[in-house]
């Protein structure tokens, strides 16, 4: 039985990856931060039901800012695979908390990579680094590939770039089987509600249910390559099954604007988005990333991976889920 350790296990990607690994027979360990409230809602259906995973899911308190804890965990667990998904992952917020973002995202990767060395796992473990399309920032080529020069435009993008090059450095310096997935935007019903796609689908469905009047957004012209998170975690796993490590762009090779996402979302609900979406300047970034679109040709050729859920289907999945949430919320409100 393979053993995997996931940082960021309670996030969107971490929860879907956990499901995937459990389905493949792994023993899965996750690092969670201590909080005064429970923050494991995305994996509670797995952790609270041993019948689903055969008691193969274990959670450990820890943090990417605590190097001693990381070394102890790796030494005790001796994992076969490590997936570093933990981050302060909100790009706009990274401008407000740049030091914290750099500490968790950039130095966090440094700490866990060095913990691999300290625990004597260089020859045993395979490491996955969650890199980001935000590293391309002010895109120097369209579409972006593994050879496109990086130009990050946020503290988050800069921190991700530091972690990305560290992964390359440990691979080259110590012969660590370390791979980076340069993932473009990937969404799902488990996406956090402060991220623009989920913010749109939640607001639109609540407006449809009579629970909300409008939606405040920043730049509607920003264009992104949006894929389905369930498929993207499959690419993460495939990277660590290769004989040789490498870096891979994971995207759909399609780009759509925030405005298009609004049009599609509200259109599915028979609403005119222009009546409800209002501009709010505080949601603008100090430095904007105008266009991101990733060509996953390398992943298709070497991993056998390609996206199947496209833009319209992705929006439909998210709207369907959030509409059910809004209906239940409206029913509760009616009984109050």
């Amino acid at each position: 039985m393979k053993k995997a350790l996931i940082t960021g296990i309670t996030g969107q990607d971490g929860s879907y990856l956990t499901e995937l690994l459990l389905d493949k027979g792994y023993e899965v360990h996750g690092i969670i931060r201590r909080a005064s409230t429970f923050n494991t809602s995305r994996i509670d259906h797995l952790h609270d039901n041993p019948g689903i995973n055969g008691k193969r899911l274990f959670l450990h308190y820890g943090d990417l800012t605590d190097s001693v804890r990381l070394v102890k965990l790796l030494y005790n667990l001796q994992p076969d695979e490590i997936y570093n998904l933990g981050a302060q992952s909100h790009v706009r917020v990274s401008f407000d908390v740049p030091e914290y973002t750099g500490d968790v995202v950039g130095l966090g990767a440094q700490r866990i990579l060095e913990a691999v060395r300290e625990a004597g796992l260089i020859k045993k473990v395979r490491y996955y680094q969650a890199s980001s399309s935000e590293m391309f920032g002010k895109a120097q080529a369209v579409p972006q590939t593994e050879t496109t020069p990086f130009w990050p435009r946020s503290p988050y993008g800069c921190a991700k770039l530091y972690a990305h090059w560290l992964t390359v450095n440990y691979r080259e310096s110590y012969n660590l089987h370390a791979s980076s997935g340069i993932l473009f935007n990937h969404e799902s019903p488990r996406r956090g509600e402060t991220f623009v796609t989920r913010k749109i689908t939640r607001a639109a469905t609540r407006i449809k249910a009579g629970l909300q009047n409008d939606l405040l957004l920043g730049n509607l012209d920003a264009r992104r390559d949006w894929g389905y998170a369930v498929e993207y975690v499959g690419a993460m796993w495939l990277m660590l099954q290769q004989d040789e490590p490498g870096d891979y762009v994971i995207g759909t090779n399609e780009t759509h604007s925030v405005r298009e996402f609004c049009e599609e979302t509200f259109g599915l609900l028979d609403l005119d988005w222009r009546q409800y979406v209002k501009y709010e300047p505080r949601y603008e970034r100090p430095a904007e990333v105008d266009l991101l679109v990733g060509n996953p040709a390398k992943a298709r050729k070497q991993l056998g991976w390609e996206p199947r859920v496209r833009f319209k289907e992705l929006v439909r999945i998210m709207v369907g889920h959030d509409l059910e949430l809004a209906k239940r919320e409206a029913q509760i409100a009616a009984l109050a």
Side-chain angles (χ1 to χ4, degrees):
M1 183 186 299
K2 283 188 177 181
K3 185 184 297 183
L5 175 65
I6 303 173
T7 71
I9 193 171
T10 60
Q12 170 190 252
D13 293 4
S15 66
Y16 285 127
L17 179 61
T18 299
E19 291 179 344
L20 175 70
L21 295 179
L22 289 174
D23 286 344
K24 292 183 178 297
Y26 280 64
E27 178 179 303
V28 179
H29 295 259
I31 297 176
I32 60 172
R33 286 173 294 174
R34 172 68 176 88
S36 59
T37 57
F38 292 110
N39 59 357
T40 58
S41 60
R42 293 185 180 96
I43 56 172
D44 282 345
H45 65 291
L46 299 169
H47 191 254
D48 292 342
N49 190 346
I52 294 178
N53 64 72
K55 295 183 179 179
R56 288 184 287 113
L57 174 59
F58 306 90
L59 302 180
H60 309 269
Y61 286 120
D63 196 288
L64 286 171
T65 62
D66 186 346
S67 57
V68 174
R69 177 59 171 159
L70 292 174
V71 172
K72 288 181 177 179
L73 277 173
L74 294 188
Y75 183 81
N76 291 330
L77 295 177
Q78 296 286 304
D80 300 289
E81 297 174 0
I82 297 172
Y83 296 86
N84 183 27
L85 312 184
Q88 187 299 102
S89 58
H90 199 287
V91 178
R92 177 62 188 84
V93 172
S94 76
F95 285 97
D96 300 324
V97 289
E99 181 180 344
Y100 174 73
T101 300
D103 193 13
V104 174
V105 177
L107 290 177
Q110 174 75 83
R111 294 183 186 103
I112 197 165
L113 283 165
E114 193 60 15
V116 168
R117 283 209 321 132
E118 289 294 322
L121 297 177
I122 285 288
K123 302 300 182 184
K124 169 184 171 62
V125 78
R126 295 188 174 193
Y127 175 85
Y128 172 83
Q129 171 61 32
S131 291
S132 169
S133 61
E134 287 288 331
M135 299 187 310
F136 293 118
K138 189 175 181 179
Q140 300 301 290
V142 178
Q144 291 89 55
T145 70
E146 293 81 6
T147 60
T148 301
F150 299 118
W151 193 322
R153 299 266 284 173
S154 66
Y156 171 79
C158 293
K160 277 293 186 183
L161 187 54
Y162 177 67
H164 176 82
W165 281 117
L166 276 173
T167 303
V168 174
N169 183 253
Y170 273 68
R171 182 170 69 215
E172 295 177 351
S173 300
Y174 305 112
N175 201 29
L176 174 66
H177 193 296
S179 296
S180 290
I182 307 174
L183 271 58
F184 283 67
N185 293 61
H186 44 292
E187 319 298 320
S188 76
R190 296 183 191 174
R191 187 60 141 153
E193 294 183 16
T194 61
F195 291 86
V196 67
T197 52
R198 189 77 195 288
K199 185 176 180 180
I200 293 170
T201 58
R202 278 292 281 150
T205 52
R206 295 186 83 250
I207 289 170
K208 182 69 174 181
L211 297 168
Q212 188 169 328
N213 296 322
D214 52 33
L215 167 62
L216 303 179
L217 293 176
N219 182 12
L220 297 180
D221 295 319
R223 302 184 66 85
R224 295 291 184 271
D225 182 335
W226 280 302
Y228 188 32
V230 175
E231 297 180 336
Y232 283 42
V233 300
M236 299 176 188
W237 178 79
L238 285 169
M239 290 178 209
L240 297 198
Q241 311 317 305
Q242 306 306 302
D243 291 335
E244 298 295 330
D247 305 322
Y248 296 88
V249 161
I250 303 298
T252 70
N253 210 17
E254 294 181 10
T255 185
H256 299 272
S257 68
V258 176
R259 180 178 284 100
E260 288 177 74
F261 204 101
C262 289
E263 290 173 350
E264 188 66 25
T265 298
F266 282 83
L268 288 171
L269 299 167
D270 296 320
L271 297 173
D272 184 350
W273 71 276
R274 292 168 294 187
Q275 296 181 16
Y276 304 100
V277 176
K278 298 180 180 179
Y279 174 70
E280 176 50 64
R282 74 174 184 270
Y283 294 134
E284 292 273 8
R285 300 180 187 178
E288 183 57 83
V289 173
D290 297 317
L291 170 63
L292 293 176
V293 55
N295 182 354
K298 180 182 176 182
R300 184 180 297 111
K301 179 180 180 180
Q302 297 190 16
L303 305 180
W305 181 91
E306 60 181 328
R308 300 188 184 279
V309 174
R310 297 292 181 167
F311 178 72
K312 289 182 179 292
E313 177 67 7
L314 173 64
V315 178
R316 187 194 65 79
I317 291 171
M318 295 177 67
V319 169
H321 174 272
D322 285 347
L323 185 59
E324 290 303 312
L325 285 184
K327 287 179 179 177
R328 289 199 293 270
E329 190 178 351
Q331 290 173 350
I332 293 172
L335 294 173

